[in-house]
């Protein structure tokens, strides 16, 4: 069987050319079935190659994409589909496989639900024709080729987003934003927000987080490093970009936003946030949901761990 993929709660079976529901909803009008797609992830067609971000570990592509309509029945009177540029990590990019695509997109979705600002995530469809068109240049100039299929994307923000230098300073009023980013990375066990690679930018003074493909590192740890809520045992806190800024904050850090964010991770929400993952890629979905649920069920201990981690 070929790959199955989900957009929200809707699944396409590529081998059968059929659409069916996974707990979703649809409407039938004049004998035609309209599929209602959940808004958490939009589906886009890769249309025009722009560039390669050479400094990135995965050498992601900047691609202009065209949004695929939510309905399988097109309205000829509707406006032209939206076009937008995305940073795209596709199968074939260095280090990119199905698990990295899941981590990148799911990490982004969870971060937005946690209260962080991120570039909008999207499912990017790489067609056979697009891959054939770009691969000669990618192979010649960068030594890799991409493959057709679904890739991870996040909106490419041109101008206005300044990468955060290691020396950037923050005011006391900005400490809650740092605490939220720090807490999210401890919750998802993301070790990839370091002083030399903070993986966030500043839009004005607003933190915009990106690069989530190292989230859920607990999936690959052989030895037991404590319970999910015991963040002091995971080896991430003291290496985090935000750690010295929180440790040296003038006033005690308030962790209420983190606690409220984790509290909102209901079983229903977590199931919805993972509903788009193809069945052949979703072997770790239950483990991720169980990890987050365990923290939610031990909020008091988790808050003490956060407090102790910066003392």
């Amino acid at each position: 069987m070929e790959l199955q993929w989900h957009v929200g709660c809707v699944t396409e079976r590529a081998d059968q050319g059929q659409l069916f529901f996974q707990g979703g909803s649809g409407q039938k009008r004049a004998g035609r079935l309209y599929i209602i797609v959940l808004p958490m992830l939009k589906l886009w067609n890769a249309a025009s190659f722009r560039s390669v971000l050479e400094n990135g570990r995965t050498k992601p592509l900047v691609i202009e994409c065209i949004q695929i309509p939510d309905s399988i029945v097109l309205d000829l009177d509707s406006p032209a589909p939206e076009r937008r540029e995305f940073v795209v990590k596709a199968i074939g990019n260095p280090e990119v496989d199905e698990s990295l695509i899941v981590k990148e997109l799911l990490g982004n979705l969870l971060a937005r639900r946690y209260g962080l600002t991120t570039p909008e995530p999207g499912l990017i469809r790489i067609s056979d024709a697009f891959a054939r068109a770009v691969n000669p240049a990618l192979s010649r100039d960068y030594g890799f080729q991409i493959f057709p299929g679904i890739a991870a994307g996040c909106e490419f923000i041109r101008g206005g987003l300044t990468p955060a230098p290691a020396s950037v300073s923050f005011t006391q009023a900005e400490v809650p934003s740092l605490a939220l980013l720090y807490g999210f990375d401890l919750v998802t066990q993301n070790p990839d927000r370091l002083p030399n690679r903070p993986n966030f930018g500043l839009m004005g003074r607003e933190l915009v987080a990106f690069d989530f493909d190292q989230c859920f590192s607990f999936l690959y740890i052989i030895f037991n490093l404590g319970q999910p809520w015991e963040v002091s045992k995971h080896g991430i806190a003291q290496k985090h970009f935000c750690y010295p800024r929180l440790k040296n904050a003038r006033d005690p850090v308030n962790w209420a936003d983190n606690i409220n964010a984790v509290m909102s991770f209901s079983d229903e929400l977590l199931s919805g946030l993972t509903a788009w993952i193809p069945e052949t890629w979703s072997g770790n979905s239950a483990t991720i949901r169980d990890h987050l649920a365990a923290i939610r069920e031990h909020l008091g201990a988790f808050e003490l761990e956060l407090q102790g981690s910066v003392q």
Side-chain angles (χ1 to χ4, degrees), residues 37-250:
V37 179
L38 294 180
M40 65 180 70
L41 276 176
K42 296 177 182 177
L43 183 62
W44 303 76
N45 269 328
S48 181
F49 170 65
R50 294 289 189 251
S51 63
V52 172
L53 299 181
E54 299 183 43
N55 292 332
R57 186 186 74 259
T58 59
K59 299 292 188 290
L61 314 181
V62 178
I63 299 175
E64 183 183 36
C65 300
I66 302 174
Q67 186 182 350
I68 297 176
D70 290 346
S71 171
I72 62 173
V73 178
L74 298 180
D75 181 357
L76 297 180
D77 296 325
S78 63
E82 182 179 0
R83 304 177 76 98
R84 199 182 300 178
E85 287 183 325
F86 281 83
V87 177
V88 177
K89 299 177 182 180
I91 302 294
N93 278 93
E95 301 185 26
V96 176
D97 57 12
E98 291 88 349
S99 66
L100 185 142
I101 290 174
V102 169
K103 290 184 292 182
E104 178 68 43
L105 289 171
L106 182 56
N108 193 328
L109 288 171
L110 286 168
R112 292 165 77 88
R113 190 64 183 82
Y114 205 85
L116 295 171
T117 299
T118 74
E120 181 180 341
L123 291 162
I124 311 300
R125 178 179 172 272
I126 306 293
S127 67
D128 289 334
F130 184 86
R132 286 197 305 270
V134 302
N135 276 337
L138 293 178
S139 180
R140 180 188 67 240
D141 298 336
Y142 302 101
F144 68 88
Q145 297 185 355
I146 62 172
F147 295 91
I150 296 298
C154 72
E155 184 177 5
F156 183 53
I157 302 175
R158 283 192 181 274
L161 183 63
T162 305
S167 60
V168 66
S169 60
F170 293 89
T171 67
Q172 185 65 31
E174 293 166 327
V175 166
S177 295
L178 295 174
L180 196 65
L181 181 62
Y182 175 81
F184 171 80
D185 286 332
L186 297 190
V187 164
T188 59
Q189 289 192 24
N190 176 19
D192 196 31
R193 225 173 295 280
L194 305 172
N196 64 332
R197 191 173 60 248
N199 285 328
F200 73 86
L202 297 172
M203 187 171 290
R205 297 302 301 178
E206 181 180 24
L207 272 64
V208 180
F210 49 81
D211 271 357
F212 298 95
D213 59 29
Q214 298 300 300
C215 288
F216 321 117
S217 60
F218 55 84
L219 294 172
Y220 309 102
I221 294 174
I222 299 175
F223 303 103
N224 184 3
L225 295 179
Q227 299 297 334
W229 59 89
E230 294 177 320
V231 295
S232 63
K233 298 181 180 181
H234 301 157
I236 295 174
Q238 293 186 4
K239 301 175 183 178
H240 197 280
F241 175 92
C242 297
Y243 170 79
R245 292 157 177 82
L246 297 174
K247 183 176 178 64
N248 298 321
R250 185 188 65 212

